[in-house]
Amino acid sequence: MKKHIKYLPQFSITRRQLLQITGISSIGTLLSSCGTPALEDLVGKLSEPLNQKVEEFIFQPQKLVPEFSPEEIKPQELIVNSFRGTPIIDVDKFRLIVDGEVNKPLSLSMSEIQSLPLTSMIIRHVCVEGWAAIVQWGGIRLQDLIALSEPQTNVKYVYFQSADGYYESWDLPSVTHPQTLLAYQKNGEILPIENGAPLRLASPIKLGYKQSKWVTKVTLTSQLSNFKGYWEDQGYEWFAGV
Ligand SMILES: Nc1nc2c(c(=O)[nH]1)N[C@H]1C(S)=C(S)[C@@H](COP(=O)(O)O)O[C@H]1N2
Ligand SMILES: [Mo]
């Protein structure tokens, strides 16, 4: 039987330390009989030790980008930028898929996603069209999601598929940066549909066009295809760091 040790987020220990002090315990199977993880398994799973190699390449120490204070949030300055209209998503039926070169493909409902640790950050969103806005985003860390999927150690890139047909690919270190989130909150409220609800990317280390809205699928891979991203395939830079 699985034994879940709960760690409170206010303990100031790093993920690496957390994984070390949990010691050896049996890794229960994440997938239940219906093929999706049981709700209560998800949070507990994050405190279980991972394969050493997987842990090393997901939780590398990375430099944090300084954040802003709540007074600096400029709600009006975030301009909605959608190139293919706003897709219609039934949130009750919505599943986020995590697949590709992983040992544990995932299919998660929003309530399962919301049972994972919530991170909030106030960062600057930078669009290449010449505007920027300071925004608060709340959501889950991509590194937690990716750890749950148990990626194979040759994974180097991550594809994000969106409900409007938008697509993006990122380098793995940028995806597993601690400030790269799949957000479901904006400025303290539930994420509006025009900003990408139910789930969008938010990260201070990439330009606006990398921050896919309406993300439905996260695919881990060792190779980039000829398709790199909606804007990249029209000549924009792929790495697009800020
Ligand atoms: N799915 C999808 N994601 C997208 C886009 C889009 O058209 N479709 N536009 C991108 C661009 S260029 C920017 S600047 C931001 C804008 O986010 P916002 O509309 O929430 O301000 O979303 C990015 N993500
Ligand atoms: Mo943009």
Side-chain angles (χ1 to χ4, degrees), residues 78-83 125 164 166 195 200 208 211 213:
L78 185 73
I79 298 167
V80 171
N81 233 2
S82 305
F83 301 94
H125 176 101
D164 63 341
Y166 201 84
N195 297 114
R200 68 161 300 148
Q211 325 252 344
K213 303 190 283 188

Side-chain angles (χ1 to χ4, degrees), residues 81 83 125-129 131 207-209 231:
N81 233 2
F83 301 94
H125 176 101
V126 182
C127 175
V128 288
E129 290 182 322
W131 56 273
L207 287 170
Y209 63 85
W231 286 110

